[in-house]
Amino acid sequence: MMICNNGRRTRGSLKPLVISGDPPTFVSAPGRRIVAVGDLHGDLEQARRALEMAGVLSSDGEDLWIGGETVLIQLGDILDRGEDEIAILSLLRSLDIQAKAQGGAVFQINGNHETMNVEGDFRYVDSGAYDECTDFLSYLDDFKYDWENAFAGWIRVSKTRKEDRKLSPNYWGAWNLVKRQKGVIARSILLRPGGPLACELARHSVILKVNDWIFCHGGLLPLHVAYGIERMNSEVSHWMKGLSGGDTSPDIPFMATKGYDSVVWNRLYSRDMSNLEDHQSKQILSILEETLQAVGAKAMVVGHTPQTAGVNCKYNCSIWRVDVGMSSGVLHSRPEVLEIKDDKARVIRSRRATFYELQVADYPEE
């Protein structure tokens, strides 16, 4: 168990956050405003827009945390389909450091694209992301692999590194097989189990419970709760770190990361309801209610499946779907975020002080 700020009150008047599990699994965040952001897929510009809209990132380009005691939760799939993946991860780490000093926090959820890359599945990697891996590995070498100092600072230099690379006379030449091979090797070094970036991802959960809300990438099922959510988080983290009790590599944690009904791949709650028969909708609602009751939660928030209608809730607002496909590598849609505050959840899609509420749901205390 960890109490942020050593149990001391920060600038605000709220009680400290209490975080349990390694990686974090249960978070007590008394009185906090909670903001959930969906899949980002390597699009730094859209990520910044979403975070500014959420009221946690400064709009002056300085990448400052302005959320105070807010708790920010990113629902996974930062990797693949875009070229600024490590920059986004670095930005979130920098914001977490700043947030904790103010009584807030940033939590990340690992999605299927994080687990795929640690597994070595690079099918959806953008060519620019390979270049970023090469640049970052060189940058890390400059820091003599001092990860803590290097990683949070990458967001400050990544743009310059990319611009310098594109100014190179060889960059716009014919497709360069050697350059691509260097990118694949760099990515493999960074993301293989036990690699420095895989170990960074291992700090994060696949399932997170904050107060009485569940956050996961695909969706939680009764069988996952029975298996143990802290157990699954620990197993995924263990695998990403490349740890094993014997001479062999640790097995891929199937329950969390493999199969259509695993935590990171499950789409049961996110599918288009217009294609469902009435009895099917009732069955899904029953499964969802059983899951929430088993884990002691009032609602669940998921990403993974782009919602062309924007962030929305279904099944009596017991499930919120927050992946809007904002990345230019997906739908390039307008960013939207979910805010949970004072037992009310609402969708925000404006950076103006007066938020436009697309859908609002009340969750009275029981």
Side-chain angles (χ1 to χ4, degrees):
M1 179 180 295
M2 181 176 70
I3 301 177
C4 288
N5 298 304
N6 298 317
R8 297 191 300 270
R9 296 290 178 94
T10 55
R11 297 176 188 175
S13 59
L14 301 177
K15 294 180 180 178
L17 295 170
V18 180
I19 303 169
S20 301
D22 182 19
T25 303
F26 304 102
V27 178
S28 173
R32 295 307 197 282
R33 172 180 180 258
I34 300 170
V35 180
V37 177
D39 305 30
L40 298 175
H41 280 302
D43 192 326
L44 180 60
E45 183 179 352
Q46 289 286 74
R48 282 198 170 108
R49 286 176 180 168
L51 296 174
E52 289 173 21
M53 182 184 304
V56 299
L57 179 69
S58 64
S59 58
D60 57 5
E62 296 298 317
D63 292 331
L64 300 177
W65 174 264
I66 60 170
E69 295 174 302
T70 297
V71 172
L72 168 67
I73 302 166
Q74 198 283 321
L75 271 293
D77 276 11
I78 290 172
L79 299 186
D80 289 339
R81 306 189 192 278
E83 63 180 13
D84 291 309
E85 310 159 308
I86 306 174
I88 296 173
L89 291 168
S90 172
L91 174 61
L92 291 175
R93 170 69 96 90
S94 174
L95 290 177
D96 183 42
I97 294 169
Q98 297 176 59
K100 283 186 166 62
Q102 299 180 35
V106 177
F107 294 99
Q108 293 171 234
I109 305 296
N110 283 320
N112 61 302
H113 282 268
E114 280 72 49
T115 61
M116 287 166 67
N117 274 270
V118 175
E119 195 179 343
D121 185 344
F122 296 164
R123 282 178 292 167
Y124 301 99
V125 180
D126 185 272
S127 60
Y130 283 120
D131 293 336
E132 188 190 29
C133 287
T134 302
D135 291 346
F136 179 74
L137 200 60
S138 174
Y139 163 84
L140 191 58
D141 187 58
D142 292 342
F143 275 79
K144 302 189 186 304
Y145 280 75
D146 181 353
W147 182 263
E148 293 302 316
N149 285 327
F151 183 64
W154 174 247
I155 185 60
R156 295 192 295 271
V157 301
S158 61
K159 182 179 179 180
T160 302
R161 293 261 180 159
K162 182 162 65 172
E163 289 172 348
D164 290 346
R165 181 205 325 136
K166 291 185 176 181
L167 287 173
S168 168
N170 298 323
Y171 183 79
W172 299 106
W175 184 71
N176 190 323
L177 180 60
V178 174
K179 186 181 76 168
R180 173 56 60 87
Q181 288 175 332
K182 285 181 63 178
V184 171
I185 292 169
R187 193 173 188 88
S188 299
I189 291 170
L190 290 168
L191 280 163
R192 65 191 177 197
L197 195 53
C199 288
E200 176 67 22
L201 296 176
R203 299 173 61 248
H204 309 304
S205 314
V206 290
I207 308 154
L208 184 70
K209 184 182 180 189
V210 181
N211 297 337
D212 41 15
W213 286 74
I214 285 289
F215 299 85
C216 57
H217 183 68
L220 196 66
L221 298 171
L223 63 95
H224 302 142
V225 180
Y227 187 81
I229 62 175
E230 193 164 11
R231 178 183 176 186
M232 275 192 288
N233 280 339
S234 178
E235 287 178 352
V236 174
S237 180
H238 199 81
W239 165 62
M240 287 182 165
K241 290 176 182 176
L243 302 177
S244 175
D247 296 330
T248 60
S249 299
D251 294 331
I252 297 172
F254 192 90
M255 180 79 71
T257 68
K258 302 290 285 184
Y260 72 93
D261 61 350
S262 64
V263 176
V264 302
W265 281 100
N266 181 20
R267 298 187 194 271
L268 181 67
Y269 308 129
S270 301
R271 63 180 63 176
D272 184 358
M273 292 183 64
S274 64
N275 298 323
L276 298 177
E277 300 288 339
D278 186 57
H279 74 277
Q280 293 176 308
S281 295
K282 288 180 178 178
Q283 184 179 29
I284 294 171
L285 175 60
S286 176
I287 293 170
L288 177 57
E289 289 177 338
E290 181 183 349
T291 304
L292 293 174
Q293 183 176 7
V295 78
K298 62 176 59 169
M300 188 185 307
V301 182
V302 299
H304 189 39
T305 305
Q307 304 294 308
T308 55
V311 174
N312 63 82
C313 70
K314 297 295 179 184
Y315 303 108
N316 303 322
C317 281
S318 293
I319 187 79
W320 283 89
R321 295 99 68 93
V322 300
D323 177 14
V324 297
M326 71 179 80
S327 169
S328 60
V330 186
L331 301 177
H332 205 196
S333 63
R334 175 172 51 191
E336 297 181 10
V337 300
L338 177 67
E339 178 191 67
I340 303 165
K341 183 179 179 182
D342 299 329
D343 294 314
K344 177 182 286 188
R346 64 177 182 173
V347 182
I348 301 171
R349 70 173 190 188
S350 170
R351 283 179 282 185
R352 296 190 299 272
T354 303
F355 300 124
Y356 179 44
E357 300 176 351
L358 290 170
Q359 189 168 14
V360 180
D362 286 306
Y363 297 85
E365 293 290 340
E366 298 180 354

